[in-house]
Amino acid sequence: MIKLELKPKPEKLTDELVKSKTEKYNADNTQQVWDIDWLKVAIADLSFGKCCYTEIRLGEESKYMEIEHFHPKSRYPDEVLLWGNLLPSCKKCNATKGEHDTIAEPVVNPFEDDPKDFFYMENGFYRVKNNSDIARRTIRKLGLNDIEHFVKPRNRIYEKINGTLSDLKEDILASSDEKLPTYARRLKRLMKEGRRQEEYAALVSTTILSSPDFTEIEDYLTVKRY
């Protein structure tokens, strides 16, 4: 999970539209008044097309986006189209979180909270930082450490990054200075995978920056001025 910026609401999401559709939902809560193509596009853009909680890429391999109501619509129906209460989520997170009352029992909101204040990543698992009850609740209520759905894919990425860094370190230390620019470019390409818009950005960036191999490579290339 990474900190997200809540951009201005779409121009089409007028007060009049919100009012009419909210009234429609309150009259019949089976109406998916948020199921609007342009609204779904705007919401997906808030998290670079990723699930706002797990950072999996949505729209790939049956990972369809669902609009998640941070404050559940069953408990807070007047917020059913409130901008800022609509988050892009994978089906698993949306179903697991369900109707959890996020006002009575808060969980991390990536639009309002910085996840780095609550979690750190270790071996593909989310770990609680600063003995935070909110972090524990978030991990539990969202199933962030679900082994099959989330931990195994993250662990594969974790192992791949560490293996790549280990191989790169060996290549660099054994190479001549003439080849160092090539290895420096390889390192930069790897680091780009930790950019905010990339899948599993929090995991990738944390894994790279916490790796002793990365530190050794970076120090070596700095001395060599690459």
Side-chain angles (χ1 to χ4, degrees):
M1 194 185 304
I2 60 172
K3 181 73 172 67
L4 298 174
E5 174 189 358
L6 181 61
K7 300 175 183 179
K9 69 178 183 178
E11 291 183 4
K12 292 181 180 180
L13 191 65
T14 62
D15 292 344
E16 293 78 11
L17 179 68
V18 170
K19 183 175 183 294
S20 66
K21 285 191 173 291
T22 300
E23 289 174 351
K24 183 177 181 180
Y25 179 77
N26 279 321
D28 178 4
N29 60 20
T30 66
Q31 297 290 318
Q32 295 190 6
V33 297
W34 56 89
D35 189 14
I36 307 170
D37 287 344
W38 56 261
L39 181 59
K40 289 189 286 189
V41 170
I43 291 171
D45 187 56
L46 293 173
S47 64
F48 312 101
K50 302 184 292 183
C51 173
C52 67
Y53 299 120
T54 63
E55 291 196 88
I56 64 172
R57 185 72 63 192
L58 299 169
E60 299 177 357
E61 300 177 357
S62 300
K63 301 170 185 174
Y64 301 114
M65 186 190 87
E66 295 192 352
I67 293 180
E68 199 273 309
H69 293 79
F70 187 76
H71 298 153
K73 56 188 179 294
S74 62
R75 296 176 181 271
Y76 306 98
D78 288 341
E79 297 186 26
V80 70
L81 272 182
L82 178 67
W83 188 246
N85 193 45
L86 309 173
L87 286 72
S89 170
C90 66
K91 184 177 183 66
K92 181 68 170 62
C93 283
N94 197 16
T96 303
K97 179 171 171 285
E99 303 305 318
H100 173 71
D101 190 341
T102 46
I103 291 182
E105 294 185 298
V107 297
V108 174
N109 184 337
F111 288 128
E112 298 180 359
D113 306 311
D114 190 339
K116 291 189 295 185
D117 294 336
F118 298 89
F119 313 111
Y120 65 96
M121 301 289 290
E122 183 180 68
N123 298 336
F125 284 87
Y126 272 92
R127 306 295 191 186
V128 173
K129 189 175 183 180
N130 299 327
N131 201 28
S132 167
D133 288 337
I134 292 179
R136 288 191 185 89
R137 186 181 303 122
T138 304
I139 292 170
R140 185 176 68 255
K141 292 297 181 180
L142 287 166
L144 294 180
N145 284 338
D146 181 290
I147 299 295
E148 292 299 324
H149 283 88
F150 303 133
V151 175
K152 284 186 177 180
R154 291 197 299 251
N155 191 258
R156 286 194 293 269
I157 294 171
Y158 174 84
E159 296 294 341
K160 178 183 176 182
I161 292 171
N162 279 311
T164 299
L165 286 170
S166 177
D167 292 344
L168 186 57
K169 184 186 76 171
E170 290 184 11
D171 289 343
I172 287 175
L173 296 180
S175 72
S176 61
D177 287 355
E178 290 77 12
K179 293 184 178 180
L180 289 181
T182 299
Y183 295 127
R185 288 192 293 271
R186 280 175 53 187
L187 180 63
K188 289 179 181 178
R189 284 197 299 270
L190 180 63
M191 292 178 67
K192 285 181 179 179
E193 295 181 22
R195 293 178 299 183
R196 289 171 50 77
Q197 64 267 36
E198 301 298 333
E199 190 173 31
Y200 299 115
L203 169 67
V204 173
S205 59
T206 299
T207 302
I208 292 173
L209 294 176
S210 63
S211 167
D213 287 333
F214 172 75
T215 301
E216 191 171 345
I217 291 169
E218 187 179 42
D219 290 346
Y220 185 82
L221 291 177
T222 298
V223 170
K224 294 292 185 176
R225 299 183 184 278
Y226 288 102

